[in-house]
């Protein structure tokens, strides 16, 4: 859609205008709510992102064969709660993201879960997760940073 075109070019105001225009005609439009939530997340409005993403959440399928916009939404929602220090809610979202892609080991839910476990003081579990992530994608920044944080 045009809104996503603006988003990918970093024209967030124009993207928001387009998504809001879509919502005037269709208040429950999944794509427009997802777009506005993504912009809120990118701009650091975690409460706004949570409110918008939670409107989308009930409508997504339980699984997907590959990474899609809903995968990003689940990941971003997990990070929203993480940044608000709501680690249990964050863990729920990262687990849902992992279950959204059964049989596929994406590093996003592994790293997110690792960071939550680290913040909750579960260092052994965090280390195990970061090491798993690094086996999947060596030198990935999030897992390497997590391993460094464990060393401190």
């Amino acid at each position: 859609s045009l809104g996503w075109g603006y988003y990918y070019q970093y024209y967030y105001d124009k993207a928001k205008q387009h998504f809001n225009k879509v919502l005037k005609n269709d208040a429950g439009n999944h794509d427009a709510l997802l777009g506005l939530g993504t912009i809120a997340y990118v701009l650091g409005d975690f409460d706004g992102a949570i409110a918008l993403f939670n409107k989308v959440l009930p409508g997504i399928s339980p699984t997907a064969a590959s990474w899609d916009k809903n995968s990003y939404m689940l990941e971003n929602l997990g990070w929203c709660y993480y940044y608000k220090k709501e680690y249990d809610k964050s863990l729920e979202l990262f687990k849902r993201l992992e279950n959204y892609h059964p049989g596929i080991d994406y590093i996003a839910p592994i790293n997110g879960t690792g960071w939550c476990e680290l913040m909750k003081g579960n260092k052994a579990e965090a280390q195990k997760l970061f090491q798993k992530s690094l086996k999947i994608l060596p030198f990935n920044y999030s897992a390497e940073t997590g391993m460094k944080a464990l060393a401190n």
Side-chain angles (χ1 to χ4, degrees), residues 115 118 130 141-151:
W115 279 102
L118 179 61
F130 293 138
Y141 180 78
S142 183
E144 281 193 334
T145 304
M147 292 299 288
K148 288 177 186 171
L150 283 165

Side-chain angles (χ1 to χ4, degrees), residues 79 82 86-88 90-92 94-95 98 109-130 146 150:
W79 286 113
Y82 175 88
E86 295 181 37
Y87 303 121
D88 290 331
S90 183
L91 282 168
E92 287 176 28
F94 289 126
K95 184 65 172 172
E98 181 181 11
I110 297 168
N111 286 337
T113 301
W115 279 102
C116 289
E117 294 295 353
L118 179 61
M119 293 300 111
K120 291 180 70 164
N122 301 325
K123 292 182 177 184
E125 182 64 17
Q127 182 175 8
K128 183 177 98 177
L129 290 161
F130 293 138
L150 283 165

Side-chain angles (χ1 to χ4, degrees), residues 5-24:
Y6 286 132
Y7 169 81
Y8 291 123
Q9 295 178 54
Y10 306 102
Y11 296 127
Y12 299 137
D13 288 336
K14 286 184 179 184
K16 283 171 37 176
Q17 288 173 356
H18 177 76
F19 290 134
N20 281 318
K21 186 177 179 181
V22 170
L23 289 174
K24 282 184 183 179

Side-chain angles (χ1 to χ4, degrees), residues 16 36-53 76-77 79-81 83-84:
K16 283 171 37 176
L36 288 172
T38 302
I39 292 167
Y41 171 77
V42 167
L43 297 178
D45 176 10
F46 303 126
D47 290 325
I50 288 168
L52 289 158
F53 287 152
N76 292 345
L77 187 53
W79 286 113
C80 284
Y81 285 118
Y83 294 130
K84 291 173 59 65

